[in-house]
Amino acid sequence: MSELALKAEKLDAADELAGVRSQFVLDDVVYLDGNSLGALPVAVPGRVEDVVRRQWGELRIRSWDESGWWTAPERIGDRIAPLVGAAAGQIVVGDSTSVNVFKAVVAAVRMAGSGRDEIVVDATTFPTDGYIAESAARMTGCTVRPVAPAEVPGVLGDRTAAVLLNHVDYRTGRLHDLPALTAAVHAAGAVAVWDLCHSAGALPVGLDEHGVDLAVGCTYKYLNGGPGSPAYLYVRADLQSRFDSPLPGWNSHAEPFGMRPAYEPAPGALRGRVGTPDILSMLALEAALDVWDADGVSVGAVRAKSLALTDFFLECVASYVPSGRVESVTPAAHAERGSQVALRCSPTLDFARAGGAPIAGDVMKRLIERGVVGDFRHPDVLRFGFTPLYVGFGDVERAARVLGDLVR
């Protein structure tokens, strides 16, 4: 057994979160793609069966009241709240991330008031955020200004209405400075909107502590809610009365069953709701969140293990992968690292590529064939996501060793 394999054994033996792995449906595959789709928690299938067979099959329409379907968006929002550093009553679950980004950006421009006609957008953002920002700008008469996050403070001014930023860069895993950037946005009199898709459930966010105005996030990555599980919208408590959603629906009406022709928004975060909630996916998410109820499972413990896992992976890659084959584009500094490692493949790798396929894509395909699942991003990046609730140090050592064998 190699020295690194022995080290992995010791790290796994000392891991306080090791027992949480049993709460997930896993096999012998090393699953390092939880930053795209989290693994299935064991509690979900039984809960979904109950929702389908009893709540829907037997109670039918009564379940909106008796099974708590109607209040699910805010109830589940309150369960997500502590994972992103928010007090209860500020998060509502529903719709997709894209829809919630649209709500948040338009509402942010409306909050900013007249004379502010520029939306600053993270130039490295996931493409959809950029598309949505462009649409929101057309709707509100604004222009979009794409800027790298580090350069945001230097472009803010009297015209800035809203700033849309990603907490973690989806390509590189770089963690951006949410406290400092939020403070800079506020100093300019603008509204800060944060996308938490690649941070919630993997590291502390501190929405309330840092005065974030609006935030959105998905639940199918580190929160393990399942494919297409609903996203969430955070509206800071003192801004809720000013939150003017561009998608007013009957579910966010003050009297949803009054069926009135004139819209009157519900109080609080409820005005972030739109239409009928997706109950099956939403209640699967609620069951998935049960893993956070176990003793010792906290965001702080998860963050500590995340950093230890990614540190160990980089150590193993440096040992197992020949020099010059890959390079990490993920920051080494803990304060700048999310819960993933992105490796850029060298263009000199000697790989047979069918039809001119990207080298990184071919490498990842072969990794998956050998039981190590990550993903790649065009043109040359291998991504490995580390979900501390179920990834162990032995998984990390094996993944790096297999990678080294493939590119040697």
Side-chain angles (χ1 to χ4, degrees):
M1 183 178 289
S2 72
E3 184 177 326
L4 287 171
L6 287 171
K7 182 176 181 178
E9 281 193 353
K10 292 179 181 178
L11 290 169
D12 278 328
D15 177 16
E16 297 179 358
L17 294 177
V20 184
R21 184 184 178 99
S22 64
Q23 296 190 44
F24 291 86
V25 178
L26 297 166
D27 48 27
D28 292 334
V29 167
V30 175
Y31 190 66
L32 301 180
D33 208 9
N35 54 325
S36 288
L37 176 65
L40 171 67
V42 296
V44 171
R47 191 78 60 85
V48 170
E49 182 177 13
D50 177 69
V51 172
V52 172
R53 293 187 180 278
R54 183 182 64 84
Q55 296 182 26
W56 180 15
E58 297 176 16
L59 295 179
R60 293 177 288 273
I61 195 71
R62 292 161 53 194
S63 275
W64 284 105
D65 179 31
E66 296 178 29
S67 300
W69 288 1
W70 184 261
T71 57
E74 57 267 31
R75 182 179 72 245
I76 301 171
D78 283 347
R79 293 194 64 183
I80 292 173
L83 305 182
V84 292
Q90 299 177 100
I91 294 180
V92 65
V93 175
D95 306 311
S96 67
T97 307
S98 302
V99 171
N100 283 314
V101 169
F102 181 71
K103 295 178 201 171
V105 173
V106 173
V109 172
R110 291 173 174 175
M111 285 181 191
S114 61
R116 293 182 176 268
D117 59 359
E118 186 174 82
I119 300 172
V120 174
V121 178
D122 180 350
T124 62
T125 189
F126 189 76
T128 293
D129 282 14
Y131 306 156
I132 295 294
E134 290 280 1
S135 178
R138 291 194 300 271
M139 180 177 180
T140 57
C142 290
T143 58
V144 171
R145 186 170 186 176
V147 178
E151 299 171 3
V152 165
V155 304
L156 300 175
D158 293 342
R159 291 184 55 194
T160 310
V163 181
L164 173 61
L165 295 165
N166 281 261
H167 198 191
V168 174
D169 187 305
Y170 80 99
R171 292 184 186 88
T172 66
R174 176 179 289 277
L175 173 64
H176 297 303
D177 192 342
L178 181 147
L181 288 170
T182 301
V185 172
H186 288 166
V191 179
V193 181
W194 284 91
D195 182 330
L196 310 178
C197 286
H198 287 268
S199 59
L203 53 90
V205 177
L207 292 179
D208 286 354
E209 177 185 358
H210 303 303
V212 169
D213 303 306
L214 304 168
V216 301
C218 66
T219 60
Y220 47 77
K221 300 183 190 296
Y222 297 111
L223 297 180
N224 310 297
S229 57
Y232 57 90
L233 170 68
Y234 164 89
V235 183
R236 202 176 71 217
D238 62 311
L239 296 178
Q240 290 173 0
S241 62
R242 297 170 54 202
F243 183 81
D244 183 6
S245 175
L247 297 173
W250 77 287
N251 256 242
S252 64
H253 197 286
E255 294 185 53
F257 293 97
M259 302 301 168
R260 303 184 181 213
Y263 180 73
E264 179 186 348
L270 293 181
R271 61 182 58 194
R273 292 174 63 152
V274 183
T276 305
D278 184 344
I279 292 299
L280 299 184
S281 290
M282 191 168 293
L283 297 188
L285 165 64
E286 185 174 33
L289 293 172
D290 287 350
V291 300
W292 292 91
D293 296 336
D295 290 339
V297 178
S298 66
V299 177
V302 165
R303 176 58 169 166
K305 184 178 176 183
S306 166
L307 292 172
L309 287 168
T310 49
D311 278 345
F312 187 53
F313 182 66
L314 290 170
E315 179 185 354
C316 290
V317 168
S319 178
Y320 289 141
V321 179
S323 178
R325 297 292 199 270
V326 299
E327 65 168 327
S328 175
V329 295
T330 300
H334 285 183
E336 299 174 5
R337 188 194 309 165
S339 198
Q340 74 180 54
V341 173
L343 302 177
R344 176 171 290 130
C345 289
S346 168
T348 62
L349 274 179
D350 185 18
F351 260 66
R353 292 174 289 161
I359 291 174
D362 199 28
V363 172
M364 184 53 67
K365 178 181 177 182
R366 297 190 191 194
L367 280 170
I368 292 171
E369 289 172 350
R370 294 187 57 176
V372 176
V373 178
D375 64 16
F376 87 100
R377 287 292 178 264
H378 290 281
D380 56 4
V381 171
L382 303 170
R383 289 198 321 170
F384 300 93
F386 298 83
T387 304
L389 296 177
Y390 55 76
V391 172
F393 294 91
D395 296 324
V396 168
E397 188 272 338
R398 177 182 162 192
R401 178 163 34 85
V402 172
L403 176 61
D405 290 344
L406 283 175
V407 301
R408 188 174 303 280

